[in-house]
Amino acid sequence: MDDAGRARRVRLLTPLAHRDFRILWIGMSISLLGDGVLLVALAWQVYTLSGSPAAMSAVGVARAVPQVALVLLGGVVSDRFDRRRTMLISDIVRMVCLVALATLALGGTLELWQLIIAVMVYGGAAGFYPPAYDAIVPTLVLKSELVEANALDQFVRPAAVQIGGTALGGVLVAGIGTGGAFAFDAVTFMVSVFCLLCIRPMPPPAQEAGSVWADLLKGLVYVRANSWLWATYVSATFAYLLFLGPAEVLLPFLIKNELGGSAGDLGLVLTCGGLSSVLVALAVGQLGMPSRFMTFIYVSWTLATLAVAGYGLSQGSWQLAAACAAVNGFETAGLIAWATAKQRLVPGVLLGRVSSVEWFVSISLLPLSYALAAPVAAAVGVRPTLIGAGVLGAVVTLVFLYVPGVRSVDRDSDPRSAKEGT
């Protein structure tokens, strides 16, 4: 069978026919593998230095806060300048941070305050990458291939981070220590940088000159004028507040303390979630997206959130694995459809800023979610907390589907149906 015939049969691979997208995807995939290694190495290094969960929380906050603080600026930058260059600088800064961590760790001189400073800079640089990536993809593939392009993205993330990266991270930390693992992640960023340098420069669409604040305001006004955008952002904010902290904080506790499981059981549960995401991405990439895509997005995310309640109802690891597979699978289906909807409906000149507003709004309450998970569980119990988080989060998610104007996008998916901000 020739390449054209194979591409027609395997729709997921269609975007890889475009040289620049193929290079971008390869570099990003290798970098994501390093991200999985970093998850293991960072946690192991923190507990080696301090042995305190509070220190791990401090490192998490130090990484998250700069990213949240700078992601809006990242959106403006990605709409003003060459998006490839924005991603390139983001990768280079993060690579330098990892080289510094690797050097200090291998020399045996790394201290907690140094690690915190490094992850702060790393997190700040990370705030510039997602808006630029969201905005550059529609310029690299055909509009008809956006579903497949986003499915490829959602395929590689769990495959590289949750499955391959974390497993490799465990092997590297055990074999050559955290310093070697940091160095490996730095090399993956180096590969990503090389791939970005191989992509042709691609300036953003021409736009009127203005201040950074004026550019940001245009993005905010556009989001406010389109209820399908702001309603989804607000929905995600409250859903994440309700379920993400409890799910990530209490799932390991439930496995270890109430079910008497091991770290291997936790790994198996999380791996099942990653495999589910991979399979769903393959399916959506091959079958495409339904015409009523906003309804599909909200129903998928409602079911994903409701599945969190399954954690609280589970009596064994296999049931937790099934619940985790449902959470990740439905989440992935909704994410593919959502990314495609944004890229089809939002004007390219605004896409970086619109994506940055999404990141800023949707994750703004995550620190509070993590902070509340433990005291709420102490007050009402681990299982009731997980059940309540899943049920309430699902209700909140579904309610926003009925905000006026959200479902109207289903009836007219022409990009001209979205109101232009002024």
Side-chain angles (χ1 to χ4, degrees), residues 83-101:
R83 288 152 178 167
R84 178 195 65 105
R85 185 175 299 173
T86 301
M87 298 162 68
L88 187 64
I89 294 173
S90 173
D91 276 355
I92 290 173
V93 172
R94 288 182 287 174
M95 180 183 70
V96 170
C97 291
L98 288 162
V99 169
L101 287 175

Side-chain angles (χ1 to χ4, degrees), residues 20 25 49 71 104 175 187 191 216-217 244 254 270 285 287-288 300 304 318 348 353 376 409:
D20 285 348
W25 186 80
L49 292 173
V71 72
L104 292 169
V187 171
V191 174
L216 178 57
L217 187 60
L244 199 56
L254 184 64
L270 297 178
L287 299 175
S300 296
W318 71 269
R353 280 164 285 178
V376 171
V409 183

Side-chain angles (χ1 to χ4, degrees), residues 40-134:
V40 177
L42 199 59
W44 198 263
Q45 184 67 74
V46 170
Y47 283 116
T48 298
L49 292 173
S50 70
S52 168
M56 192 67 216
S57 295
V59 170
V61 171
R63 183 177 176 181
V65 170
Q67 181 172 3
V68 173
L70 292 176
V71 72
L72 289 176
L73 178 60
V76 174
V77 170
S78 68
D79 283 342
R80 276 191 165 209
F81 304 104
D82 181 355
R83 288 152 178 167
R84 178 195 65 105
R85 185 175 299 173
T86 301
M87 298 162 68
L88 187 64
I89 294 173
S90 173
D91 276 355
I92 290 173
V93 172
R94 288 182 287 174
M95 180 183 70
V96 170
C97 291
L98 288 162
V99 169
L101 287 175
T103 302
L104 292 169
L106 289 170
T109 59
L110 180 60
E111 297 183 15
L112 185 60
W113 68 268
Q114 296 169 324
L115 189 147
I116 288 176
I117 291 175
V119 298
M120 286 179 66
V121 177
Y122 182 103
F128 290 81
Y129 193 96
Y133 179 84
D134 284 348

